[in-house]
Amino acid sequence: MKKELLSNILIKIVASIFFLLMTINSILVFTKTAVFPKYYQEILYYKNDNAIVNIILLIVFSIVILIFSKYLQKVINIKRLVLLVMIYMFILSLLFAILRRDYVQFDPFNVIAQAKNFIRDNYTGLDRGNNYLYIYSHQITTVFLFQIILSLFGMTTFILYIMQCFSISYIVFMLYKIADILFKNKEINYITVILSAVCFPLIFYVSFLYGILPGMFLALLSFYNIIKYLKEGFWYNLIIAIISINIAILFIGNNLINLLSIFSVLTIYLIKKIDKKLFLFIIYSIFFMLSFKSIIINYYQTVSQKDIPQGVNKITWVAMGMQEGDREAGFFNGFNYDIMTEENYDNSKIVEISKKSIKQRLAVFKNNPSYAYDFYSRKYESQFIDPTFQSLLITAPQKSIEDNSTFLLRVKNKIVEQIYFGNLSKILFYLMKVFQLFIYLFTLIFSIIIFKRRDELYLFIPISFIGGSIFHIIWEAKSRYIFPYFVFLIPLAACSFVYTKNYLKNIIFRKEKYYE
């Protein structure tokens, strides 16, 4: 009894923190929007919204989703719908990839370039100096996976776009599977799939050739298999979960937050019921996480005959996350890159400078509480109230698109211009805005469902969201870092949407049962 009481208390604590975050997010998105300038410089400004207009838009959007769901339930079964939406997302993503395939920059450009160099046995990128991997050596696991993909399927960047398209399709599939296994409700499944189909940032991210999308799919696959094990007890689900979450971490290190979410939920579960397989899962997950990275580093040391650099110290990211910059509070401002080069890559000096910067900023915050509040308010808002989650910013044209040499180029450039700068861009922006309103508000309601039902299986995604939110308040800030956690909320929002609809129906028609 005491064990169950403790477990329930922990669930309620998580639900309360999640409720608080979603309340803040809901209030913010109904009253304000973070917007990038027309030509997509990474400098945010904030636009005050009319909350009443947003409420009307949300009601209209909800009614459309509900009507569409009712209609689809009559004409197509859920498995066929999932398949059609997966194909639709693949094709739409592929078309967008074709439009933007000539545009790769930022981290993806460097990661791909290093992977191709390694395939050619060119390891100069590991040399001491102003080399990408020497400074940002944590990217070496992503480079390794890209090297494998490009080695197997050919050294053309388009292979990576195909990987992205498949990742998007299977993210949709896993969101449906998680909704199905958690809620066992036909209507929730339909709503989940429909919402996934109108998540336009997911499509636009196809052109950001990084590990975000495959990492999201693998993290969801891990969540699903853990839930399936806890419900059905098949050991092989744990094996799939271990492999998938560890490969997700290799793609993007931030997926460690999703692993910690799994550990947190399992800890709550183990308080009530001891399961040796879950203890082994935790041990082997840690073992494989450390082993995979160690194997990759040893491999590159062997083939390159070079030491793998330590890279910029992690404390520099914390220091940078407390600083102002040209973009917004806590955004990347070149701090860690600059001190690496200025201090001749001396790690001890870099750590000392970073610690000094942190102390200085803490003193500023302590002496100016109103400024500290303003700084962290801006840092938080910049990540959570951008409806696009930088999906257009990171793929936007940075040069003139006026190339009318052929008919196909004219058509392509006209479409690109509409998506980024024309009337279509405004329509897409408002669709992404109302989608964000829907997800935040109904996920807020889901936090209440968690509190009432006290089911630890509902906690995987909320804990990931909480962990990601806390991490990026401390670390470097960008809304694209929050994007994966936002997409994960879709099944939760679908559940509470159906719950709310049935609850209101119950009040109106005085029915006793409003939720299945």
Side-chain angles (χ1 to χ4, degrees):
M1 184 62 71
K2 289 183 179 179
K3 290 181 178 180
E4 188 168 342
L5 179 62
L6 176 59
S7 176
N8 288 339
I9 289 171
L10 292 173
I11 293 170
K12 287 184 176 182
I13 289 171
V14 172
S16 299
I17 297 170
F18 194 50
F19 175 83
L20 177 63
L21 283 177
M22 286 306 155
T23 300
I24 294 170
N25 291 350
S26 297
I27 292 171
L28 285 173
V29 295
F30 272 97
T31 57
K32 191 184 290 190
T33 304
V35 183
F36 290 100
K38 183 178 179 182
Y39 292 101
Y40 297 100
Q41 300 91 347
E42 197 176 18
I43 303 170
L44 279 166
Y45 66 93
Y46 302 96
K47 179 172 70 72
N48 290 326
D49 288 351
N50 186 319
I52 295 173
V53 171
N54 281 334
I55 291 169
I56 294 169
L57 287 173
L58 178 64
I59 292 170
V60 172
F61 181 80
S62 301
I63 291 171
V64 170
I65 292 291
L66 185 59
I67 292 171
F68 202 47
S69 169
K70 293 292 185 186
Y71 171 75
L72 289 175
Q73 288 178 59
K74 294 177 181 177
V75 299
I76 187 171
N77 68 55
I78 187 62
K79 291 183 179 179
R80 189 167 296 175
L81 176 64
V82 172
L83 180 59
L84 287 176
V85 171
M86 288 175 69
I87 294 170
Y88 148 82
M89 293 293 276
F90 184 92
I91 293 172
L92 216 55
S93 302
L94 184 61
L95 290 173
F96 188 72
I98 292 169
L99 286 174
R100 305 304 300 131
R101 66 178 295 190
D102 58 341
Y103 182 73
V104 181
Q105 67 166 8
F106 308 124
D107 288 314
F109 174 83
N110 290 293
V111 168
I112 294 167
Q114 292 299 324
K116 289 182 176 180
N117 284 341
F118 286 177
I119 292 171
R120 300 185 187 103
D121 295 325
N122 177 358
Y123 297 99
T124 55
L126 297 172
D127 292 341
R128 180 185 175 90
N130 188 16
N131 290 310
Y132 181 76
L133 277 182
Y134 189 83
I135 297 173
Y136 303 116
S137 61
H138 62 279
Q139 302 282 23
I140 200 164
T141 57
T142 312
V143 171
F144 176 76
L145 293 175
F146 277 26
Q147 182 182 348
I148 291 174
I149 295 166
L150 293 172
S151 297
L152 290 174
F153 300 104
M155 280 179 40
T156 169
T157 307
F158 198 68
I159 292 298
L160 298 176
Y161 285 112
I162 296 297
M163 173 195 74
Q164 298 276 88
C165 293
F166 275 113
S167 297
I168 290 168
S169 289
Y170 279 95
I171 287 168
V172 171
F173 179 69
M174 292 316 306
L175 291 171
Y176 152 69
K177 292 295 286 184
I178 287 173
D180 184 51
I181 198 169
L182 277 180
F183 309 121
K184 297 294 182 185
N185 182 290
K186 177 183 174 183
E187 191 172 10
I188 293 173
N189 290 346
Y190 275 87
I191 299 291
T192 299
V193 177
I194 293 167
L195 289 174
S196 301
V198 294
C199 184
F200 291 106
L202 191 58
I203 294 167
F204 297 140
Y205 260 94
V206 73
S207 291
F208 193 63
L209 294 177
Y210 207 30
I212 293 175
L213 294 176
M216 288 169 66
F217 158 64
L218 290 165
L220 289 169
L221 180 63
S222 185
F223 286 161
Y224 172 75
N225 277 280
I226 290 290
I227 295 168
K228 194 169 176 64
Y229 171 78
L230 294 176
K231 280 181 169 282
E232 299 176 4
F234 295 115
W235 62 269
Y236 58 80
N237 291 120
L238 295 180
I239 303 297
I240 297 170
I242 288 174
I243 295 170
S244 56
I245 194 62
N246 275 287
I247 297 176
I249 292 169
L250 295 182
F251 268 115
I252 290 290
N254 288 3
N255 280 303
L256 177 59
I257 293 169
N258 293 318
L259 178 60
L260 293 176
S261 171
I262 292 171
F263 287 173
S264 301
V265 176
L266 294 185
T267 300
I268 294 171
Y269 180 87
L270 286 166
I271 289 171
K272 293 195 298 187
K273 181 181 178 181
I274 299 299
D275 186 333
K276 293 179 181 178
K277 292 188 183 73
L278 293 180
F279 284 111
L280 289 173
F281 170 84
I282 293 171
I283 293 168
Y284 278 114
S285 293
I286 296 170
F287 170 77
F288 279 113
M289 180 180 66
L290 298 175
S291 297
F292 282 178
K293 188 166 185 179
S294 177
I295 289 168
I296 291 170
I297 289 172
N298 287 331
Y299 165 74
Y300 281 126
Q301 284 178 334
T302 301
V303 297
S304 68
Q305 295 298 299
K306 301 174 186 287
D307 290 330
I308 303 302
Q310 288 184 341
V312 63
N313 196 284
K314 288 179 174 58
I315 195 172
T316 64
W317 298 97
V318 177
M320 185 168 65
M322 300 173 71
Q323 297 170 1
E324 295 282 6
D326 295 334
R327 299 167 182 179
E328 184 50 285
F331 272 46
F332 182 85
N333 59 13
F335 171 77
N336 51 20
Y337 175 85
D338 292 340
I339 62 174
M340 279 282 281
T341 53
E342 288 170 6
E343 300 303 322
N344 198 28
Y345 312 102
D346 186 324
N347 187 61
S348 59
K349 289 183 180 178
I350 290 164
V351 171
E352 184 181 340
I353 291 169
S354 299
K355 287 181 178 178
K356 186 177 180 181
S357 175
I358 291 171
K359 287 179 182 177
Q360 288 174 341
R361 292 299 287 173
L362 285 173
V364 170
F365 293 151
K366 182 179 179 181
N367 294 329
N368 301 274
S370 60
Y371 168 68
Y373 176 79
D374 174 70
F375 177 88
Y376 281 104
S377 294
R378 285 185 286 116
K379 186 174 183 182
Y380 188 88
E381 289 172 5
S382 67
Q383 299 180 85
F384 289 91
I385 64 172
D386 165 22
T388 72
F389 290 94
Q390 296 186 299
S391 59
L392 292 175
L393 172 80
I394 55 180
T395 59
Q398 299 295 311
K399 58 184 180 180
S400 174
I401 57 174
E402 294 179 6
D403 184 352
N404 298 317
S405 56
T406 68
F407 173 75
L408 286 176
L409 275 175
R410 288 198 298 271
V411 172
K412 174 185 173 183
N413 290 340
K414 189 65 179 175
I415 296 171
V416 170
E417 186 179 12
Q418 277 296 312
I419 290 173
Y420 288 97
F421 309 111
N423 291 327
L424 180 59
S425 122
K426 295 175 184 176
I427 294 169
L428 287 169
F429 184 86
Y430 283 109
L431 284 172
M432 288 186 276
K433 172 69 179 182
V434 73
F435 183 82
Q436 189 183 51
L437 291 168
F438 183 98
I439 296 297
Y440 279 154
L441 178 64
F442 285 105
T443 305
L444 165 62
I445 296 170
F446 187 81
S447 66
I448 300 170
I449 295 173
I450 298 173
F451 198 89
K452 287 184 175 181
R453 291 180 171 270
R454 299 188 296 276
D455 188 340
E456 64 272 3
L457 297 186
Y458 289 178
L459 297 182
F460 289 98
I461 292 168
I463 292 177
S464 283
F465 192 92
I466 293 167
S469 301
I470 294 171
F471 179 73
H472 287 290
I473 280 295
I474 299 169
W475 209 256
E476 178 195 1
K478 278 184 182 177
S479 58
R480 72 176 174 87
Y481 297 142
I482 299 301
F483 174 66
Y485 311 110
F486 174 78
V487 174
F488 292 177
L489 298 176
I490 289 175
L492 312 189
C495 171
S496 59
F497 176 68
V498 173
Y499 181 98
T500 304
K501 183 261 297 180
N502 290 340
Y503 179 80
L504 294 174
K505 196 176 182 181
N506 174 64
I507 292 174
I508 294 168
F509 297 104
R510 300 184 183 278
K511 293 181 180 179
E512 294 182 5
K513 188 176 180 181
Y514 56 85
Y515 183 72
E516 294 179 16

